Amino acid sequence: MPDLDVGQGSVVIKIPSRLIPQFSIAVALVTILGSVMSCFYHKHDFGGTYWPYISDTAKEMPQAGFFSYGMSLTSLMIFITVLIHHGKLKLNLYALSGQESDGAGFKRAKMARFMGCFAAPNLGLLACFDTSRSPGLHMLFVVLFFIPCLIYFMCIISVYRMMVAKLHKRRKEGCPRIKRLSYVSLETSLRWKTRIGAAFTLFFFLYLPLGMYLVTDWYVYSNDVIVHSFRAVCQHITVACIILFFGSMYFDFGDLVFRIVQT
């Protein structure tokens, strides 16, 4: 993609866009693993389950502060990634359809942007309001993070399906390849996002709606240790799906460059 016209402005920051989701993933992994290791090192209580909830390993100091800082930084990077990805989708939809702002693809892309931007800050908030001091607020922000993530994934997959259909139509009509579609493979990206999205949907359902229904108490685990342990495993898998979904954007952003321009 050619360089943007920045006029008389000076480029303050210039970063390959594909590195931003990878940085957010690296921060998230370091934060989660560091919190878990600190919890076991200090022999802190994580609720008595056979497998701990991620947030329960970070309810005591020093990991509570580390977890809050790391997840807040991750939420900021996810917010930026969502905006960059939205811009990428708009470029590709325009290149494929010739429409600038109309059509179902653009509307779904806008919905994805809204849900992604809404979900991101709640990740930082659920880390700041830990399960020890603010269990009710923590659960609220968990719900406000995971449900918008689910909608975001479904909207993105839907837009990708539309783009693949339009791309196949162009190929049948003998149209030239669009340089703006600088994916490694749009079809491969859709295939993996569909698989990740399906896994996320399944384990999200087991973790939150069904899991919360089956337990007698959301905050006291002693009465339902097995069910809470099962929910914790499902939580880890849903988080892994989120990491994989955003990680797949490394192959979507192509040669896009994130710039901050001072004018």
Side-chain angles (χ1 to χ4, degrees), residues 81-131:
T81 300
V82 167
L83 294 179
I84 295 174
H85 191 253
H86 177 72
K88 172 70 172 175
L89 289 181
K90 285 183 64 177
L91 287 173
N92 296 156
L93 287 168
Y94 176 70
L96 284 168
S97 64
Q99 299 175 350
E100 189 163 354
S101 60
D102 296 328
F106 289 95
K107 293 176 182 178
R108 292 175 196 177
K110 289 178 181 178
M111 174 59 74
R113 178 187 61 185
F114 173 79
M115 298 310 298
C117 291
F118 179 81
N122 293 310
L123 176 61
L125 289 169
L126 72 85
C128 292
F129 294 95
D130 60 67
T131 57

Side-chain angles (χ1 to χ4, degrees), residues 44 50 67 82 133 138 199 201 211 244 255:
H44 288 159
Y50 300 118
F67 189 72
V82 167
R133 286 169 282 271
H138 175 81
T201 303
L244 290 172
D255 55 0

Side-chain angles (χ1 to χ4, degrees), residues 61-235:
M61 287 296 182
Q63 59 267 22
F66 180 68
F67 189 72
S68 298
Y69 175 78
M71 288 295 102
S72 297
L73 180 56
T74 302
S75 69
L76 173 62
M77 301 311 298
I78 289 177
F79 189 93
I80 295 172
T81 300
V82 167
L83 294 179
I84 295 174
H85 191 253
H86 177 72
K88 172 70 172 175
L89 289 181
K90 285 183 64 177
L91 287 173
N92 296 156
L93 287 168
Y94 176 70
L96 284 168
S97 64
Q99 299 175 350
E100 189 163 354
S101 60
D102 296 328
F106 289 95
K107 293 176 182 178
R108 292 175 196 177
K110 289 178 181 178
M111 174 59 74
R113 178 187 61 185
F114 173 79
M115 298 310 298
C117 291
F118 179 81
N122 293 310
L123 176 61
L125 289 169
L126 72 85
C128 292
F129 294 95
D130 60 67
T131 57
S132 177
R133 286 169 282 271
S134 306
L137 282 174
H138 175 81
M139 180 60 71
L140 172 64
F141 291 122
V142 165
V143 172
L144 292 178
F145 172 68
F146 280 99
I147 291 179
C149 273
L150 175 63
I151 301 172
Y152 175 74
F153 290 171
M154 296 303 103
C155 289
I156 292 297
I157 292 170
S158 176
V159 174
Y160 271 57
R161 288 186 184 277
M162 295 181 67
M163 290 198 299
V164 167
K166 291 178 182 292
L167 189 61
H168 288 170
K169 182 179 179 182
R170 286 181 59 87
R171 288 173 180 171
K172 290 180 180 178
E173 295 173 351
C175 298
R177 182 178 180 273
I178 300 175
K179 293 183 178 180
R180 282 181 174 178
L181 291 176
S182 50
Y183 299 85
V184 173
S185 170
L186 182 58
E187 292 89 343
T188 302
S189 181
L190 171 61
R191 184 162 57 250
W192 279 106
K193 282 180 172 60
T194 301
R195 293 171 179 173
I196 296 167
F200 177 85
T201 303
L202 172 63
F203 288 101
F204 161 81
F205 178 77
L206 295 174
Y207 163 48
L208 282 179
L210 181 61
M212 292 175 71
Y213 173 77
L214 291 176
V215 297
T216 56
D217 194 303
W218 296 348
Y219 311 118
V220 179
Y221 308 150
S222 57
N223 296 332
D224 308 283
V225 175
I226 294 177
V227 178
H228 276 292
S229 298
F230 175 74
R231 288 187 66 225
V233 171
C234 293
Q235 181 202 56

Side-chain angles (χ1 to χ4, degrees), residues 30-43 57 63:
V30 169
T31 300
I32 293 171
L33 293 175
S35 298
V36 172
M37 291 172 63
S38 177
C39 178
F40 281 98
Y41 175 79
H42 292 286
K43 298 180 180 180
T57 65
Q63 59 267 22

